[in-house]
Amino acid sequence: MIEAGTELPPLTVTFKRDDLVRYAGASGDFNPIHWNDRMASALGLPGVIAHGMLTMASAVRVVTDWLDDPADLVEYGVRFTKPVVVPDDDKGASVTFSATVGKVADGLAEIDITAVAGEEKVLGRAKAVVRVR
């Protein structure tokens, strides 16, 4: 039974530059801020950043990995608050996703997701709604 206050198992995802290149190819988003340090710096960014949609998709995995059936995810949304800076090294940038079940009512559960890279929360208002059985 899913109850308010239940904590989901955390998930840590590491993004490296080659992940950004593969995501760019899959998504068609070849914006140079996702692969070129010079362009990212010229736009005032602290470095090359991960695609927002890649970060968002990775975040919801903390929920879908926990569900018996990922199709029980009925709604999902986030606000992008800080970019995930991906250094040009072999370590990449790790983001840890955690989640807690909030309100449970009428066959649905709201799940609050937290995404932290280093000491920074990189997503705000990250919330999923799932069907409960």
Side-chain angles (χ1 to χ4, degrees):
M1 169 161 264
I2 298 174
E3 298 175 343
T6 300
E7 293 184 12
L8 282 58
L11 171 69
T12 299
V13 176
T14 300
F15 300 110
K16 294 182 182 177
R17 292 282 178 99
D18 58 334
D19 297 316
L20 303 186
V21 171
R22 281 193 288 277
Y23 185 81
S27 69
D29 181 352
F30 295 102
N31 188 323
I33 65 173
H34 302 303
W35 56 270
N36 184 301
D37 286 300
R38 186 175 43 80
M39 291 298 294
S41 294
L43 292 173
L45 294 168
V48 165
I49 61 172
H51 300 74
M53 292 296 132
L54 176 59
T55 305
M56 183 180 179
S58 298
V60 79
R61 284 184 47 208
V62 75
V63 175
T64 57
D65 288 356
W66 173 74
L67 291 169
D68 288 333
D69 183 354
D72 285 336
L73 176 70
V74 296
E75 185 178 325
Y76 176 54
V78 307
R79 277 190 104 159
F80 300 104
T81 57
K82 299 273 185 185
V84 176
V85 179
V86 181
D88 188 12
D89 62 17
D90 293 333
K91 295 179 185 174
S94 292
V95 182
T96 299
F97 303 102
S98 58
T100 304
V101 176
K103 182 175 134 183
V104 179
D106 301 322
L108 298 173
E110 293 180 1
I111 301 175
D112 297 310
I113 302 167
T114 303
V116 177
E119 302 295 317
E120 301 265 41
K121 282 182 70 176
V122 296
L123 297 177
R125 295 189 198 168
K127 187 176 296 279
V129 177
V130 300
R131 220 177 345 266
V132 295
R133 297 168 194 248

